[in-house]
mmCIF file of all heavy atoms in Angstrom:
data_model
loop_
_atom_site.group_PDB
_atom_site.id
_atom_site.type_symbol
_atom_site.label_atom_id
_atom_site.label_comp_id
_atom_site.label_asym_id
_atom_site.label_seq_id
_atom_site.Cartn_x
_atom_site.Cartn_y
_atom_site.Cartn_z
ATOM 1 N N ILE A 1 1.109 -0.943 12.199
ATOM 2 C CA ILE A 1 1.621 -1.461 13.459
ATOM 3 C C ILE A 1 2.638 -2.546 13.151
ATOM 4 O O ILE A 1 2.385 -3.440 12.343
ATOM 5 C CB ILE A 1 0.479 -1.968 14.370
ATOM 6 C CG1 ILE A 1 1.031 -2.420 15.729
ATOM 7 C CG2 ILE A 1 -0.331 -3.069 13.693
ATOM 8 C CD1 ILE A 1 -0.059 -2.619 16.777
ATOM 9 N N ARG A 2 3.790 -2.454 13.773
ATOM 10 C CA ARG A 2 4.855 -3.425 13.575
ATOM 11 C C ARG A 2 4.696 -4.586 14.538
ATOM 12 O O ARG A 2 3.924 -4.530 15.491
ATOM 13 C CB ARG A 2 6.221 -2.766 13.743
ATOM 14 C CG ARG A 2 6.521 -1.701 12.703
ATOM 15 C CD ARG A 2 7.902 -1.112 12.868
ATOM 16 N NE ARG A 2 8.944 -2.111 12.619
ATOM 17 C CZ ARG A 2 10.250 -1.850 12.595
ATOM 18 N NH1 ARG A 2 10.680 -0.609 12.804
ATOM 19 N NH2 ARG A 2 11.119 -2.815 12.372
ATOM 20 N N SER A 3 5.456 -5.644 14.289
ATOM 21 C CA SER A 3 5.360 -6.836 15.120
ATOM 22 C C SER A 3 5.704 -6.548 16.572
ATOM 23 O O SER A 3 5.163 -7.188 17.476
ATOM 24 C CB SER A 3 6.268 -7.938 14.570
ATOM 25 O OG SER A 3 7.624 -7.525 14.537
ATOM 26 N N GLY A 4 6.585 -5.579 16.805
ATOM 27 C CA GLY A 4 6.948 -5.197 18.152
ATOM 28 C C GLY A 4 5.989 -4.230 18.811
ATOM 29 O O GLY A 4 6.199 -3.853 19.967
ATOM 30 N N GLY A 5 4.948 -3.820 18.091
ATOM 31 C CA GLY A 5 3.937 -2.955 18.646
ATOM 32 C C GLY A 5 4.078 -1.481 18.309
ATOM 33 O O GLY A 5 3.185 -0.692 18.630
ATOM 34 N N ARG A 6 5.167 -1.097 17.677
ATOM 35 C CA ARG A 6 5.328 0.296 17.291
ATOM 36 C C ARG A 6 4.335 0.674 16.207
ATOM 37 O O ARG A 6 4.042 -0.110 15.310
ATOM 38 C CB ARG A 6 6.758 0.547 16.813
ATOM 39 C CG ARG A 6 7.783 0.546 17.944
ATOM 40 C CD ARG A 6 9.200 0.621 17.413
ATOM 41 N NE ARG A 6 9.592 -0.614 16.753
ATOM 42 C CZ ARG A 6 10.801 -0.830 16.229
ATOM 43 N NH1 ARG A 6 11.729 0.118 16.280
ATOM 44 N NH2 ARG A 6 11.070 -1.984 15.657
ATOM 45 N N THR A 7 3.821 1.878 16.286
ATOM 46 C CA THR A 7 2.792 2.338 15.371
ATOM 47 C C THR A 7 3.204 3.629 14.682
ATOM 48 O O THR A 7 4.061 4.376 15.171
ATOM 49 C CB THR A 7 1.460 2.575 16.097
ATOM 50 O OG1 THR A 7 1.641 3.557 17.126
ATOM 51 C CG2 THR A 7 0.956 1.285 16.729
ATOM 52 N N ASN A 8 2.580 3.883 13.542
ATOM 53 C CA ASN A 8 2.711 5.170 12.896
ATOM 54 C C ASN A 8 1.398 5.496 12.201
ATOM 55 O O ASN A 8 0.627 4.600 11.846
ATOM 56 C CB ASN A 8 3.900 5.227 11.929
ATOM 57 C CG ASN A 8 3.760 4.277 10.758
ATOM 58 O OD1 ASN A 8 4.154 3.123 10.819
ATOM 59 N ND2 ASN A 8 3.198 4.781 9.657
ATOM 60 N N TYR A 9 1.167 6.795 12.007
ATOM 61 C CA TYR A 9 -0.092 7.279 11.470
ATOM 62 C C TYR A 9 0.154 8.383 10.461
ATOM 63 O O TYR A 9 1.114 9.148 10.573
ATOM 64 C CB TYR A 9 -0.982 7.827 12.584
ATOM 65 C CG TYR A 9 -1.330 6.819 13.644
ATOM 66 C CD1 TYR A 9 -0.535 6.667 14.778
ATOM 67 C CD2 TYR A 9 -2.450 6.011 13.519
ATOM 68 C CE1 TYR A 9 -0.849 5.738 15.751
ATOM 69 C CE2 TYR A 9 -2.769 5.083 14.485
ATOM 70 C CZ TYR A 9 -1.961 4.947 15.604
ATOM 71 O OH TYR A 9 -2.281 4.019 16.568
ATOM 72 N N ALA A 10 -0.731 8.456 9.493
ATOM 73 C CA ALA A 10 -0.736 9.608 8.617
ATOM 74 C C ALA A 10 -1.096 10.850 9.420
ATOM 75 O O ALA A 10 -1.875 10.789 10.381
ATOM 76 C CB ALA A 10 -1.733 9.407 7.478
ATOM 77 N N ASP A 11 -0.531 11.969 9.030
ATOM 78 C CA ASP A 11 -0.801 13.211 9.753
ATOM 79 C C ASP A 11 -2.295 13.529 9.814
ATOM 80 O O ASP A 11 -2.777 14.096 10.792
ATOM 81 C CB ASP A 11 -0.051 14.372 9.109
ATOM 82 C CG ASP A 11 1.444 14.314 9.350
ATOM 83 O OD1 ASP A 11 1.883 13.612 10.278
ATOM 84 O OD2 ASP A 11 2.185 14.991 8.608
ATOM 85 N N SER A 12 -3.019 13.156 8.774
ATOM 86 C CA SER A 12 -4.431 13.486 8.699
ATOM 87 C C SER A 12 -5.281 12.771 9.739
ATOM 88 O O SER A 12 -6.393 13.213 10.036
ATOM 89 C CB SER A 12 -4.966 13.176 7.296
ATOM 90 O OG SER A 12 -4.790 11.808 6.984
ATOM 91 N N VAL A 13 -4.781 11.671 10.297
ATOM 92 C CA VAL A 13 -5.558 10.900 11.263
ATOM 93 C C VAL A 13 -4.907 10.845 12.635
ATOM 94 O O VAL A 13 -5.512 10.307 13.577
ATOM 95 C CB VAL A 13 -5.826 9.462 10.767
ATOM 96 C CG1 VAL A 13 -6.423 9.481 9.368
ATOM 97 C CG2 VAL A 13 -4.554 8.618 10.792
ATOM 98 N N LYS A 14 -3.723 11.382 12.768
ATOM 99 C CA LYS A 14 -2.995 11.316 14.026
ATOM 100 C C LYS A 14 -3.801 11.976 15.144
ATOM 101 O O LYS A 14 -4.313 13.081 14.987
ATOM 102 C CB LYS A 14 -1.628 11.975 13.871
ATOM 103 C CG LYS A 14 -0.643 11.660 14.981
ATOM 104 C CD LYS A 14 0.756 12.173 14.621
ATOM 105 C CE LYS A 14 1.295 11.465 13.390
ATOM 106 N NZ LYS A 14 2.674 11.921 13.035
ATOM 107 N N GLY A 15 -3.895 11.281 16.250
ATOM 108 C CA GLY A 15 -4.665 11.773 17.379
ATOM 109 C C GLY A 15 -6.122 11.379 17.353
ATOM 110 O O GLY A 15 -6.822 11.559 18.360
ATOM 111 N N ARG A 16 -6.594 10.857 16.230
ATOM 112 C CA ARG A 16 -7.990 10.445 16.101
ATOM 113 C C ARG A 16 -8.150 8.943 15.905
ATOM 114 O O ARG A 16 -9.132 8.366 16.366
ATOM 115 C CB ARG A 16 -8.653 11.174 14.935
ATOM 116 C CG ARG A 16 -8.656 12.690 15.077
ATOM 117 C CD ARG A 16 -9.484 13.358 13.983
ATOM 118 N NE ARG A 16 -8.937 13.099 12.652
ATOM 119 C CZ ARG A 16 -9.595 12.456 11.682
ATOM 120 N NH1 ARG A 16 -10.824 12.010 11.894
ATOM 121 N NH2 ARG A 16 -9.024 12.273 10.503
ATOM 122 N N PHE A 17 -7.206 8.321 15.210
ATOM 123 C CA PHE A 17 -7.272 6.887 14.914
ATOM 124 C C PHE A 17 -6.238 6.141 15.746
ATOM 125 O O PHE A 17 -5.145 6.664 16.028
ATOM 126 C CB PHE A 17 -6.976 6.612 13.437
ATOM 127 C CG PHE A 17 -8.022 7.086 12.465
ATOM 128 C CD1 PHE A 17 -9.091 7.884 12.860
ATOM 129 C CD2 PHE A 17 -7.928 6.720 11.135
ATOM 130 C CE1 PHE A 17 -10.046 8.315 11.964
ATOM 131 C CE2 PHE A 17 -8.878 7.143 10.214
ATOM 132 C CZ PHE A 17 -9.937 7.943 10.628
ATOM 133 N N THR A 18 -6.568 4.910 16.111
ATOM 134 C CA THR A 18 -5.653 4.051 16.841
ATOM 135 C C THR A 18 -5.670 2.657 16.233
ATOM 136 O O THR A 18 -6.730 2.043 16.117
ATOM 137 C CB THR A 18 -6.024 3.955 18.330
ATOM 138 O OG1 THR A 18 -6.055 5.263 18.911
ATOM 139 C CG2 THR A 18 -4.999 3.105 19.077
ATOM 140 N N ILE A 19 -4.501 2.165 15.850
ATOM 141 C CA ILE A 19 -4.382 0.817 15.328
ATOM 142 C C ILE A 19 -3.936 -0.110 16.456
ATOM 143 O O ILE A 19 -3.112 0.263 17.295
ATOM 144 C CB ILE A 19 -3.410 0.757 14.126
ATOM 145 C CG1 ILE A 19 -3.431 -0.626 13.467
ATOM 146 C CG2 ILE A 19 -2.002 1.163 14.527
ATOM 147 C CD1 ILE A 19 -2.677 -0.683 12.143
ATOM 148 N N SER A 20 -4.492 -1.301 16.484
ATOM 149 C CA SER A 20 -4.131 -2.283 17.493
ATOM 150 C C SER A 20 -4.270 -3.676 16.903
ATOM 151 O O SER A 20 -4.768 -3.846 15.788
ATOM 152 C CB SER A 20 -4.994 -2.134 18.749
ATOM 153 O OG SER A 20 -6.366 -2.343 18.451
ATOM 154 N N ARG A 21 -3.832 -4.659 17.646
ATOM 155 C CA ARG A 21 -3.898 -6.034 17.159
ATOM 156 C C ARG A 21 -4.212 -6.989 18.290
ATOM 157 O O ARG A 21 -3.948 -6.710 19.464
ATOM 158 C CB ARG A 21 -2.574 -6.432 16.494
ATOM 159 C CG ARG A 21 -1.407 -6.486 17.470
ATOM 160 C CD ARG A 21 -0.094 -6.698 16.772
ATOM 161 N NE ARG A 21 1.000 -6.764 17.727
ATOM 162 C CZ ARG A 21 2.269 -6.676 17.421
ATOM 163 N NH1 ARG A 21 2.635 -6.509 16.160
ATOM 164 N NH2 ARG A 21 3.194 -6.751 18.368
ATOM 165 N N ASP A 22 -4.795 -8.116 17.924
ATOM 166 C CA ASP A 22 -5.059 -9.206 18.845
ATOM 167 C C ASP A 22 -4.493 -10.447 18.180
ATOM 168 O O ASP A 22 -5.127 -11.029 17.295
ATOM 169 C CB ASP A 22 -6.550 -9.352 19.121
ATOM 170 C CG ASP A 22 -6.857 -10.372 20.199
ATOM 171 O OD1 ASP A 22 -6.072 -11.326 20.379
ATOM 172 O OD2 ASP A 22 -7.895 -10.231 20.870
ATOM 173 N N THR A 23 -3.306 -10.823 18.586
ATOM 174 C CA THR A 23 -2.615 -11.928 17.938
ATOM 175 C C THR A 23 -3.394 -13.235 18.065
ATOM 176 O O THR A 23 -3.459 -14.017 17.125
ATOM 177 C CB THR A 23 -1.211 -12.089 18.536
ATOM 178 O OG1 THR A 23 -0.486 -10.865 18.389
ATOM 179 C CG2 THR A 23 -0.452 -13.202 17.833
ATOM 180 N N ALA A 24 -4.001 -13.471 19.225
ATOM 181 C CA ALA A 24 -4.747 -14.702 19.446
ATOM 182 C C ALA A 24 -5.916 -14.835 18.482
ATOM 183 O O ALA A 24 -6.265 -15.942 18.072
ATOM 184 C CB ALA A 24 -5.232 -14.774 20.887
ATOM 185 N N LYS A 25 -6.535 -13.727 18.130
ATOM 186 C CA LYS A 25 -7.662 -13.730 17.205
ATOM 187 C C LYS A 25 -7.237 -13.485 15.764
ATOM 188 O O LYS A 25 -8.089 -13.476 14.873
ATOM 189 C CB LYS A 25 -8.684 -12.678 17.617
ATOM 190 C CG LYS A 25 -9.358 -12.947 18.950
ATOM 191 C CD LYS A 25 -10.392 -11.881 19.267
ATOM 192 C CE LYS A 25 -11.095 -12.166 20.577
ATOM 193 N NZ LYS A 25 -12.104 -11.124 20.893
ATOM 194 N N ASN A 26 -5.946 -13.276 15.548
ATOM 195 C CA ASN A 26 -5.420 -13.005 14.213
ATOM 196 C C ASN A 26 -6.142 -11.828 13.564
ATOM 197 O O ASN A 26 -6.493 -11.854 12.385
ATOM 198 C CB ASN A 26 -5.528 -14.254 13.326
ATOM 199 C CG ASN A 26 -4.394 -14.379 12.338
ATOM 200 O OD1 ASN A 26 -3.296 -13.863 12.554
ATOM 201 N ND2 ASN A 26 -4.647 -15.074 11.238
ATOM 202 N N THR A 27 -6.340 -10.790 14.354
ATOM 203 C CA THR A 27 -7.157 -9.652 13.945
ATOM 204 C C THR A 27 -6.439 -8.347 14.245
ATOM 205 O O THR A 27 -5.779 -8.210 15.276
ATOM 206 C CB THR A 27 -8.511 -9.676 14.663
ATOM 207 O OG1 THR A 27 -9.192 -10.901 14.350
ATOM 208 C CG2 THR A 27 -9.384 -8.512 14.230
ATOM 209 N N VAL A 28 -6.583 -7.399 13.337
ATOM 210 C CA VAL A 28 -6.075 -6.043 13.510
ATOM 211 C C VAL A 28 -7.270 -5.096 13.514
ATOM 212 O O VAL A 28 -8.217 -5.278 12.743
ATOM 213 C CB VAL A 28 -5.081 -5.675 12.400
ATOM 214 C CG1 VAL A 28 -4.539 -4.267 12.601
ATOM 215 C CG2 VAL A 28 -3.937 -6.676 12.359
ATOM 216 N N TYR A 29 -7.215 -4.097 14.360
ATOM 217 C CA TYR A 29 -8.321 -3.162 14.518
ATOM 218 C C TYR A 29 -7.882 -1.745 14.176
ATOM 219 O O TYR A 29 -6.712 -1.387 14.269
ATOM 220 C CB TYR A 29 -8.835 -3.174 15.956
ATOM 221 C CG TYR A 29 -9.276 -4.529 16.447
ATOM 222 C CD1 TYR A 29 -8.418 -5.331 17.190
ATOM 223 C CD2 TYR A 29 -10.549 -5.009 16.165
ATOM 224 C CE1 TYR A 29 -8.815 -6.577 17.643
ATOM 225 C CE2 TYR A 29 -10.955 -6.252 16.610
ATOM 226 C CZ TYR A 29 -10.086 -7.031 17.356
ATOM 227 O OH TYR A 29 -10.490 -8.269 17.796
ATOM 228 N N LEU A 30 -8.857 -0.946 13.808
ATOM 229 C CA LEU A 30 -8.649 0.486 13.653
ATOM 230 C C LEU A 30 -9.787 1.203 14.356
ATOM 231 O O LEU A 30 -10.927 1.185 13.883
ATOM 232 C CB LEU A 30 -8.588 0.896 12.179
ATOM 233 C CG LEU A 30 -8.240 2.361 11.924
ATOM 234 C CD1 LEU A 30 -6.796 2.651 12.334
ATOM 235 C CD2 LEU A 30 -8.454 2.727 10.457
ATOM 236 N N GLN A 31 -9.480 1.799 15.494
ATOM 237 C CA GLN A 31 -10.448 2.616 16.210
ATOM 238 C C GLN A 31 -10.415 4.015 15.621
ATOM 239 O O GLN A 31 -9.361 4.655 15.595
ATOM 240 C CB GLN A 31 -10.121 2.655 17.700
ATOM 241 C CG GLN A 31 -11.070 3.519 18.526
ATOM 242 C CD GLN A 31 -12.473 2.965 18.570
ATOM 243 O OE1 GLN A 31 -12.666 1.782 18.805
ATOM 244 N NE2 GLN A 31 -13.457 3.829 18.335
ATOM 245 N N MET A 32 -11.549 4.482 15.161
ATOM 246 C CA MET A 32 -11.657 5.754 14.467
ATOM 247 C C MET A 32 -12.576 6.661 15.268
ATOM 248 O O MET A 32 -13.771 6.391 15.389
ATOM 249 C CB MET A 32 -12.203 5.557 13.053
ATOM 250 C CG MET A 32 -11.476 4.474 12.259
ATOM 251 S SD MET A 32 -12.384 3.955 10.781
ATOM 252 C CE MET A 32 -12.292 5.443 9.797
ATOM 253 N N ASN A 33 -12.020 7.717 15.817
ATOM 254 C CA ASN A 33 -12.780 8.681 16.603
ATOM 255 C C ASN A 33 -12.780 10.035 15.916
ATOM 256 O O ASN A 33 -11.954 10.315 15.051
ATOM 257 C CB ASN A 33 -12.182 8.819 18.007
ATOM 258 C CG ASN A 33 -12.222 7.544 18.803
ATOM 259 O OD1 ASN A 33 -13.128 6.727 18.661
ATOM 260 N ND2 ASN A 33 -11.225 7.366 19.671
ATOM 261 N N SER A 34 -13.704 10.884 16.334
ATOM 262 C CA SER A 34 -13.805 12.245 15.802
ATOM 263 C C SER A 34 -13.792 12.246 14.280
ATOM 264 O O SER A 34 -13.061 13.006 13.646
ATOM 265 C CB SER A 34 -12.670 13.117 16.355
ATOM 266 O OG SER A 34 -12.705 13.162 17.763
ATOM 267 N N LEU A 35 -14.610 11.400 13.707
ATOM 268 C CA LEU A 35 -14.605 11.226 12.260
ATOM 269 C C LEU A 35 -15.041 12.497 11.544
ATOM 270 O O LEU A 35 -15.903 13.238 12.025
ATOM 271 C CB LEU A 35 -15.498 10.058 11.870
ATOM 272 C CG LEU A 35 -14.875 8.685 12.111
ATOM 273 C CD1 LEU A 35 -15.941 7.608 12.127
ATOM 274 C CD2 LEU A 35 -13.830 8.385 11.041
ATOM 275 N N LYS A 36 -14.423 12.718 10.401
ATOM 276 C CA LYS A 36 -14.684 13.871 9.561
ATOM 277 C C LYS A 36 -15.185 13.412 8.201
ATOM 278 O O LYS A 36 -14.879 12.299 7.775
ATOM 279 C CB LYS A 36 -13.404 14.694 9.377
ATOM 280 C CG LYS A 36 -12.754 15.158 10.665
ATOM 281 C CD LYS A 36 -11.430 15.853 10.380
ATOM 282 C CE LYS A 36 -10.770 16.320 11.651
ATOM 283 N NZ LYS A 36 -9.470 16.989 11.371
ATOM 284 N N PRO A 37 -15.914 14.255 7.485
ATOM 285 C CA PRO A 37 -16.364 13.857 6.147
ATOM 286 C C PRO A 37 -15.216 13.441 5.233
ATOM 287 O O PRO A 37 -15.406 12.542 4.399
ATOM 288 C CB PRO A 37 -17.064 15.117 5.632
ATOM 289 C CG PRO A 37 -17.578 15.776 6.867
ATOM 290 C CD PRO A 37 -16.521 15.534 7.907
ATOM 291 N N GLU A 38 -14.051 14.038 5.379
ATOM 292 C CA GLU A 38 -12.921 13.678 4.542
ATOM 293 C C GLU A 38 -12.344 12.303 4.856
ATOM 294 O O GLU A 38 -11.470 11.819 4.137
ATOM 295 C CB GLU A 38 -11.810 14.741 4.617
ATOM 296 C CG GLU A 38 -11.413 15.112 6.030
ATOM 297 C CD GLU A 38 -12.092 16.380 6.522
ATOM 298 O OE1 GLU A 38 -13.313 16.527 6.308
ATOM 299 O OE2 GLU A 38 -11.394 17.231 7.118
ATOM 300 N N ASP A 39 -12.819 11.662 5.920
ATOM 301 C CA ASP A 39 -12.442 10.284 6.202
ATOM 302 C C ASP A 39 -13.243 9.286 5.372
ATOM 303 O O ASP A 39 -12.950 8.084 5.413
ATOM 304 C CB ASP A 39 -12.638 9.960 7.682
ATOM 305 C CG ASP A 39 -11.726 10.771 8.590
ATOM 306 O OD1 ASP A 39 -10.543 10.951 8.247
ATOM 307 O OD2 ASP A 39 -12.199 11.213 9.653
ATOM 308 N N THR A 40 -14.235 9.752 4.657
ATOM 309 C CA THR A 40 -15.064 8.878 3.839
ATOM 310 C C THR A 40 -14.209 8.175 2.790
ATOM 311 O O THR A 40 -13.518 8.817 2.000
ATOM 312 C CB THR A 40 -16.182 9.669 3.163
ATOM 313 O OG1 THR A 40 -17.060 10.192 4.168
ATOM 314 C CG2 THR A 40 -16.987 8.791 2.213
ATOM 315 N N ALA A 41 -14.248 6.852 2.785
ATOM 316 C CA ALA A 41 -13.420 6.057 1.887
ATOM 317 C C ALA A 41 -13.745 4.588 2.100
ATOM 318 O O ALA A 41 -14.440 4.221 3.046
ATOM 319 C CB ALA A 41 -11.930 6.305 2.154
ATOM 320 N N VAL A 42 -13.214 3.758 1.217
ATOM 321 C CA VAL A 42 -13.180 2.328 1.457
ATOM 322 C C VAL A 42 -11.873 2.024 2.179
ATOM 323 O O VAL A 42 -10.797 2.428 1.732
ATOM 324 C CB VAL A 42 -13.275 1.522 0.152
ATOM 325 C CG1 VAL A 42 -13.201 0.029 0.443
ATOM 326 C CG2 VAL A 42 -14.568 1.853 -0.581
ATOM 327 N N TYR A 43 -11.974 1.323 3.282
ATOM 328 C CA TYR A 43 -10.822 1.019 4.107
ATOM 329 C C TYR A 43 -10.391 -0.431 3.914
ATOM 330 O O TYR A 43 -11.222 -1.342 3.923
ATOM 331 C CB TYR A 43 -11.130 1.278 5.582
ATOM 332 C CG TYR A 43 -11.123 2.750 5.925
ATOM 333 C CD1 TYR A 43 -12.144 3.585 5.490
ATOM 334 C CD2 TYR A 43 -10.078 3.307 6.666
ATOM 335 C CE1 TYR A 43 -12.125 4.935 5.782
ATOM 336 C CE2 TYR A 43 -10.062 4.655 6.962
ATOM 337 C CZ TYR A 43 -11.083 5.471 6.523
ATOM 338 O OH TYR A 43 -11.064 6.813 6.822
ATOM 339 N N TYR A 44 -9.097 -0.620 3.754
ATOM 340 C CA TYR A 44 -8.505 -1.926 3.520
ATOM 341 C C TYR A 44 -7.390 -2.176 4.527
ATOM 342 O O TYR A 44 -6.764 -1.230 5.018
ATOM 343 C CB TYR A 44 -7.882 -2.018 2.127
ATOM 344 C CG TYR A 44 -8.795 -1.703 0.977
ATOM 345 C CD1 TYR A 44 -8.970 -0.395 0.537
ATOM 346 C CD2 TYR A 44 -9.467 -2.717 0.301
ATOM 347 C CE1 TYR A 44 -9.797 -0.105 -0.532
ATOM 348 C CE2 TYR A 44 -10.288 -2.437 -0.767
ATOM 349 C CZ TYR A 44 -10.447 -1.131 -1.183
ATOM 350 O OH TYR A 44 -11.260 -0.845 -2.252
ATOM 351 N N CYS A 45 -7.115 -3.439 4.784
ATOM 352 C CA CYS A 45 -5.934 -3.794 5.541
ATOM 353 C C CYS A 45 -5.017 -4.637 4.676
ATOM 354 O O CYS A 45 -5.435 -5.204 3.664
ATOM 355 C CB CYS A 45 -6.288 -4.546 6.831
ATOM 356 S SG CYS A 45 -7.143 -6.119 6.590
ATOM 357 N N ASN A 46 -3.755 -4.692 5.055
ATOM 358 C CA ASN A 46 -2.813 -5.540 4.352
ATOM 359 C C ASN A 46 -1.576 -5.749 5.209
ATOM 360 O O ASN A 46 -1.274 -4.950 6.098
ATOM 361 C CB ASN A 46 -2.416 -4.954 3.001
ATOM 362 C CG ASN A 46 -2.180 -6.024 1.945
ATOM 363 O OD1 ASN A 46 -1.603 -7.074 2.242
ATOM 364 N ND2 ASN A 46 -2.624 -5.762 0.720
ATOM 365 N N GLU A 47 -0.898 -6.830 4.916
ATOM 366 C CA GLU A 47 0.399 -7.124 5.489
ATOM 367 C C GLU A 47 1.435 -6.344 4.683
ATOM 368 O O GLU A 47 1.429 -6.401 3.457
ATOM 369 C CB GLU A 47 0.650 -8.630 5.409
ATOM 370 C CG GLU A 47 1.897 -9.126 6.077
ATOM 371 C CD GLU A 47 2.052 -10.640 5.930
ATOM 372 O OE1 GLU A 47 1.307 -11.244 5.131
ATOM 373 O OE2 GLU A 47 2.912 -11.216 6.613
ATOM 374 N N LYS A 48 2.294 -5.605 5.349
ATOM 375 C CA LYS A 48 3.226 -4.738 4.654
ATOM 376 C C LYS A 48 4.625 -4.836 5.217
ATOM 377 O O LYS A 48 4.831 -5.260 6.359
ATOM 378 C CB LYS A 48 2.752 -3.280 4.704
ATOM 379 C CG LYS A 48 2.896 -2.625 6.051
ATOM 380 C CD LYS A 48 2.453 -1.163 6.021
ATOM 381 C CE LYS A 48 3.295 -0.317 5.094
ATOM 382 N NZ LYS A 48 4.694 -0.147 5.576
#
């Protein structure tokens, strides 16, 4: 998610995951729906 709110997703998660942010809480979220076994992983965030 960019500072202006624009988002992009990997094809493998498009339509299932949603990234969002709460600037006041200094927090970024990832809503993950319709999870699949291939989503199994360690998930990290970073400033990019």
Side-chain angles (χ1 to χ4, degrees):
I1 184 167
R2 296 182 65 175
S3 60
R6 287 173 290 182
T7 59
N8 64 272
Y9 300 91
D11 288 341
S12 59
V13 308
K14 195 171 297 181
R16 300 187 298 119
F17 291 9
T18 303
I19 187 170
S20 61
R21 66 188 181 194
D22 187 332
T23 303
K25 295 182 178 180
N26 214 26
T27 301
V28 181
Y29 303 97
L30 186 68
Q31 179 66 47
M32 310 165 67
N33 298 328
S34 301
L35 283 162
K36 304 175 180 179
E38 51 262 45
D39 296 319
T40 295
V42 179
Y43 284 72
Y44 304 87
C45 62
N46 215 320
E47 186 180 12
K48 73 178 297 292

